[in-house]
Amino acid sequence: MITKIKGTQDILPEECVKWQEVEQIIRQVSRLYNFSEIRTPIFEATEIYHRGTGEGTDIVKKETYDFLDRGERQITLRPEGTPGIVRSIIENKLYTTSPLPLKLFYVGPMFRYERPQKGRQRQFHQFGAEAIGSADPMLDAEMIAYAATFLAALGLHSVLVKVNSIGDRDSQVAYAKALKDFLYPEKEHLCPDCQRRLDSNPMRVLDCKVDIDNPLLKNAPKPLDFLSEAAQAHFNSVLDYLKAMGVAHKVEPNLVRGLDYYTHTVFELEADIPGMGAQSTLCGGGRYDRLSETLDGPNLPSVGFAFGLERLLIARDKINIETQAAFIHAFLIVLGEKPKARAMAIARSLRHGGIVTDMDFQDRSLKGKFKQGERLNPYFYLIFGEDELNEESIMVKQVKTGTQEKVSLDQLYRYLVDCLRAETPCSGHCENCESDC
């Protein structure tokens, strides 16, 4: 038997319902913030990630899926979404055809070669958003509020918003020197990866998961202490805007992000949910003002975030958020051979009107047909035999009440719609809603 590749998962139909609900909320909240969807390839030129994400990052050094294609091109399966989106904006010159900032979101699979565990697979899925083309600190706060609003819409209210600033280029140069001066005398007390990072990208030592409780790092200088005047003013404005919007937050002085392109504001949203453990960080993001230029584009200061969808689903399961049970509107039970062709025409007509309809395709017994229908959770059974065919009628049984009524075929659609509206009153704003709703 051929099985799935390690680090991947099959998302089966009963689980897809949960995914679809999350994806629907993504699109609803993104619309509220006026973000448009963008879809980019799942593989890109390797250079995009080496130059954009960072040559010295764990993602690029240890986790990317790199390969030569048949044209001898160096290709990488995308480990994250941001560099590919910035590449697309540069290549398609979106910054010249749309007002800035560009407000874009994406949903899709990413790939990292790391040890599989719950909530962290080698193929995983992200929802991310990028606001591209503005250095205004209002946008940093807006993105944090957008991320927090999304979690609230998912039903995840026990969330801690952690923010920090790693400053502009001058701030980062000053801080890197101070951090190296502090850590070098005790270098041997750091993990091997951090000893390497101390030379290549000292700030990322603070992001180490191995040395997270190392007293040396807890006592190390903080990025906030080395902010330039401009960087401090930017961060103060972000905090003021968050306060004005009522977004509860905490300044976390040791917070940095594990990608080289970040500048100024960085943030994480962490779930306060028992049992989440190492999976409690649901979202990470920050400002990246130099990435476009790194990829040979114009100056486009930007800010973005990303969520792991697998972790979001785990979080919702932990607090027992129920997903609406799968259902259909009508299950068509055909009695005998002669009515089958007309029954198929009836089913097709109902589907064209938005009525979710299914039927038996296995010639089961009457009892078997009802049993199959029960598994599909219908609102109605539609019973159609030779008598109904001759009479141009159909027997409608409402599952909830058990009542049965014979309805003429030319009135069937209206009858079902009226029953469904009585069950769930229409707001008048649904898609395809009729004018007399």
Side-chain angles (χ1 to χ4, degrees):
M1 179 178 67
I2 300 173
T3 61
K4 64 182 180 293
I5 301 298
K6 182 178 180 180
T8 64
Q9 60 178 336
D10 297 315
I11 304 173
L12 302 178
E14 60 269 22
E15 289 297 311
C16 279
V17 175
K18 299 179 181 180
W19 285 74
Q20 289 163 355
E21 186 172 299
V22 171
E23 290 163 5
Q24 181 181 23
I25 294 170
I26 287 170
R27 288 175 170 82
Q28 289 171 342
V29 175
S30 296
R31 178 71 185 113
L32 293 176
Y33 281 80
N34 195 32
F35 276 68
S36 302
E37 186 172 8
I38 185 170
R39 302 185 185 191
T40 59
I42 64 169
F43 57 87
E44 298 269 4
T46 297
E47 185 182 13
I48 285 177
Y49 301 108
H50 284 247
R51 289 170 60 185
T53 303
E55 191 77 56
T57 62
D58 284 351
I59 291 176
V60 169
K61 286 184 70 70
K62 301 179 181 180
E63 298 171 1
T64 51
Y65 281 86
D66 302 322
F67 60 94
L68 281 175
D69 71 4
R70 297 189 182 198
E72 298 297 310
R73 290 172 288 256
Q74 190 70 42
I75 303 296
T76 296
L77 296 180
R78 64 183 183 192
E80 56 146 337
T82 303
I85 288 174
V86 173
R87 187 271 312 152
S88 177
I89 289 167
I90 296 168
E91 182 175 345
N92 295 289
K93 294 184 170 57
L94 294 184
Y95 53 87
T96 66
T97 59
S98 302
L100 299 180
L102 298 168
K103 300 172 76 175
L104 306 170
F105 78 93
Y106 61 89
V107 181
M110 310 290 161
F111 305 86
R112 296 182 190 175
Y113 191 86
E114 53 187 347
R115 184 172 63 85
Q117 54 186 290
K118 189 173 183 180
R120 186 188 289 266
Q121 299 292 324
R122 290 175 177 172
Q123 176 179 314
F124 60 101
H125 299 78
Q126 283 189 344
F127 153 50
E130 317 291 349
I132 294 173
S134 172
D136 196 316
M138 289 178 65
L139 203 55
D140 304 38
E142 171 94 337
M143 293 298 283
I144 294 170
Y146 174 13
T149 300
F150 168 63
L151 287 179
L154 285 178
L156 302 172
H157 299 284
S158 298
V159 173
L160 174 63
V161 177
K162 301 192 293 187
V163 294
N164 194 23
S165 175
I166 58 174
D168 52 20
R169 190 188 300 272
D170 290 342
S171 308
Q172 292 177 10
V173 169
Y175 177 63
K177 181 180 184 306
L179 189 61
K180 289 174 80 170
D181 290 346
F182 178 83
L183 292 177
Y184 249 105
E186 305 292 337
K187 183 177 180 179
E188 68 274 10
H189 297 299
L190 299 173
C191 75
D193 280 341
C194 282
Q195 292 182 33
R196 171 180 54 80
R197 291 170 184 145
L198 196 55
D199 291 312
S200 61
N201 190 341
M203 192 179 301
R204 291 200 54 249
V205 172
L206 300 182
D207 195 43
C208 180
K209 302 301 184 287
V210 176
D211 280 335
I212 189 170
D213 294 318
N214 189 328
L216 191 61
L217 297 187
K218 290 186 176 183
N219 296 322
K222 313 300 181 193
L224 287 176
D225 297 329
F226 294 85
L227 296 184
S228 67
E229 186 175 339
Q232 185 66 64
H234 184 102
F235 190 51
N236 289 344
S237 294
V238 172
L239 299 179
D240 288 343
Y241 291 132
L242 290 175
K243 184 177 180 181
M245 289 188 290
V247 178
H249 58 279
K250 174 188 176 184
V251 175
E252 183 61 62
N254 266 12
L255 176 63
V256 296
R257 298 291 302 156
L259 307 177
D260 285 357
Y261 50 65
Y262 282 116
T263 55
H264 286 293
T265 311
V266 290
F267 58 89
E268 291 181 349
L269 279 72
E270 186 177 287
D272 183 16
I273 298 174
M276 287 294 291
Q279 308 298 320
S280 62
T281 300
L282 302 180
C283 173
R287 175 163 283 283
Y288 51 97
D289 288 348
R290 302 190 296 268
L291 180 57
S292 175
E293 293 169 283
T294 299
L295 298 178
D296 302 325
N299 177 31
L300 290 172
S302 307
V303 58
F305 63 68
F307 287 88
L309 296 193
E310 286 82 355
R311 289 194 188 186
L312 292 174
L313 290 161
I314 291 171
R316 281 166 62 88
D317 285 345
K318 290 287 185 186
I319 59 174
N320 300 315
I321 293 179
E322 293 188 6
T323 301
Q324 182 180 4
F327 69 92
I328 63 172
H329 292 127
F331 186 76
L332 186 54
I333 293 176
V334 185
L335 306 177
E337 190 69 27
K338 192 173 180 181
K340 282 184 177 180
R342 186 64 186 279
M344 293 190 73
I346 292 169
R348 187 166 190 260
S349 176
L350 292 176
R351 290 163 178 155
H352 283 183
I355 303 294
V356 181
T357 307
D358 206 348
M359 58 195 299
D360 172 43
F361 293 96
Q362 295 278 33
D363 276 331
R364 293 177 174 88
S365 66
L366 181 60
K367 182 179 179 181
K369 292 178 192 292
F370 273 106
K371 192 169 184 179
Q372 182 197 5
E374 186 179 336
R375 292 193 186 102
L376 299 176
N377 191 24
Y379 279 80
F380 308 101
Y381 288 109
L382 307 180
I383 304 166
F384 190 63
E386 289 194 28
D387 289 344
E388 288 77 16
L389 176 64
N390 294 331
E391 296 170 358
E392 287 288 310
S393 66
I394 194 163
M395 184 66 70
V396 179
K397 179 177 181 179
Q398 297 193 43
V399 174
K400 187 173 182 179
T401 63
T403 58
Q404 293 189 173
E405 185 174 351
K406 188 166 281 191
V407 178
S408 66
L409 288 178
D410 62 356
Q411 292 297 312
L412 176 61
Y413 178 75
R414 170 54 60 186
Y415 179 86
L416 297 181
V417 168
D418 287 346
C419 290
L420 289 170
R421 285 179 178 166
E423 180 78 17
T424 308
C426 180
S427 66
H429 300 292
C430 51
E431 291 186 14
N432 304 318
C433 191
E434 297 184 11
S435 59
D436 63 347
C437 180

